[in-house]
Amino acid sequence: MTVEEAVLIIIQAFWAMLPAYAAGPVAVLTGGGSPMDGGRNWRDGKRILGDGKTWRGLAGGTIGGIGIAGILSVIVRGAGNNDLTDFLMPNWETNLSWIFVGFMMAFGSLFGDFVKSFFKRRSGKERGSKSPIIDMYDFILGSWLLAIVFANPWFMETFWPEAYAFPWHMLVVLIISPLLHRSVNIIGYKMGKKDVPW
Ligand code: CTP
Ligand code: MG
């Protein structure tokens, strides 16, 4: 692999993850109001998801992520086909495509996040408490799960193109996402949007 190829893989991986990356921070900005669990408890007497998972956050983050996918799609179409742009949604020709892929990545991201909260509550962890590692990967696993199941050709072409025997794009995402996650959360904390810097 050449240096140029490696740089391209990093840019491509980051770019394709943007709708999933955007969903969480947009949920933080738009969240509030009715919690998704309706304030109800699970069998163990603890909250199902907790007050940190709200319908407004879920809707806002999903729509925000889809919006990012739309912007990326416009950029890709405008730039025409070349090495750098021929990867976001290469085999989705209809206008619904970026909405569809954007939904899977953004909603999937928040899906991973609230599934994590469910298990956090079951293990007795309060809302906002730290669960290292899993906090950094929940949204990746969620977005990848939905994309693998419902947008498989796009997922494969984007994160494991046939040209490579190894899924380098996926490795890049697994390495850069925790760093990004941590930085964004520290910014959110300093802005007063998050109660804790994680
Ligand atoms: N948020 C929301 N709805 C979501 C996700 C996030 O409203 N579906 C908002 C909430 O205000 C939440 C904040 O974004 O407090 C930070 O999100 P996150 O760190 O994921 O939630 P926590 O409050 O830390 O809760 P948990 O312990 O369940 O992760
Ligand atoms: Mg949290």
Side-chain angles (χ1 to χ4, degrees), residues 76-89:
V76 169
R77 282 156 209 247
N81 275 1
N82 62 52
D83 272 359
L84 196 67
T85 58
D86 183 30
F87 56 82
L88 182 64
M89 290 154 200

Side-chain angles (χ1 to χ4, degrees), residues 104-123:
M104 293 308 159
M105 294 298 282
F107 180 81
S109 175
L110 296 169
F111 170 72
D113 177 59
F114 71 69
V115 169
K116 170 209 65 190
S117 290
F118 176 79
F119 289 108
K120 259 173 103 170
R121 298 299 91 82
R122 302 291 70 73
S123 73

Side-chain angles (χ1 to χ4, degrees), residues 27-28 31-32 52-54 57-58 113 116-117 120-121 127-128 194:
V28 174
K53 306 296 125 158
T54 67
L58 181 68
D113 177 59
K116 170 209 65 190
S117 290
K120 259 173 103 170
R121 298 299 91 82
R127 168 199 178 179
K194 272 186 69 90

Side-chain angles (χ1 to χ4, degrees), residues 22-193:
V26 176
V28 174
L29 296 177
T30 59
S34 317
M36 292 163 61
D37 64 8
R40 285 187 293 268
N41 291 341
W42 187 248
R43 292 192 284 261
D44 55 12
K46 298 188 176 78
R47 285 290 292 275
I48 302 176
L49 299 175
D51 284 330
K53 306 296 125 158
T54 67
W55 290 115
R56 254 171 45 197
L58 181 68
T62 302
I63 292 168
I66 294 173
I68 297 287
I71 293 169
L72 302 184
S73 168
V74 167
I75 296 172
V76 169
R77 282 156 209 247
N81 275 1
N82 62 52
D83 272 359
L84 196 67
T85 58
D86 183 30
F87 56 82
L88 182 64
M89 290 154 200
N91 48 14
W92 299 85
E93 302 290 0
T94 69
N95 283 328
L96 276 179
S97 64
W98 57 266
I99 300 181
F100 186 78
V101 173
F103 176 85
M104 293 308 159
M105 294 298 282
F107 180 81
S109 175
L110 296 169
F111 170 72
D113 177 59
F114 71 69
V115 169
K116 170 209 65 190
S117 290
F118 176 79
F119 289 108
K120 259 173 103 170
R121 298 299 91 82
R122 302 291 70 73
S123 73
K125 285 200 160 94
E126 294 296 327
R127 168 199 178 179
S129 64
K130 206 172 183 174
S131 46
I133 313 294
I134 187 65
D135 270 339
M136 294 176 166
Y137 286 105
D138 53 12
F139 62 103
I140 303 172
L141 297 181
S143 60
W144 282 359
L145 178 72
L146 263 66
I148 286 170
V149 173
F150 299 106
N152 195 268
W154 174 81
F155 180 89
M156 291 305 289
E157 211 168 313
T158 305
F159 290 106
W160 195 353
E162 271 173 19
Y164 300 105
F166 184 84
W168 293 110
H169 293 76
M170 295 176 78
L171 183 68
V172 165
V173 171
L174 293 177
I175 293 170
I176 62 171
S177 302
L179 305 172
L180 212 67
H181 184 261
R182 186 89 181 107
S183 320
V184 169
N185 284 345
I186 290 171
I187 294 169
Y189 175 67
K190 294 240 160 92
M191 282 169 64
K193 293 290 178 190

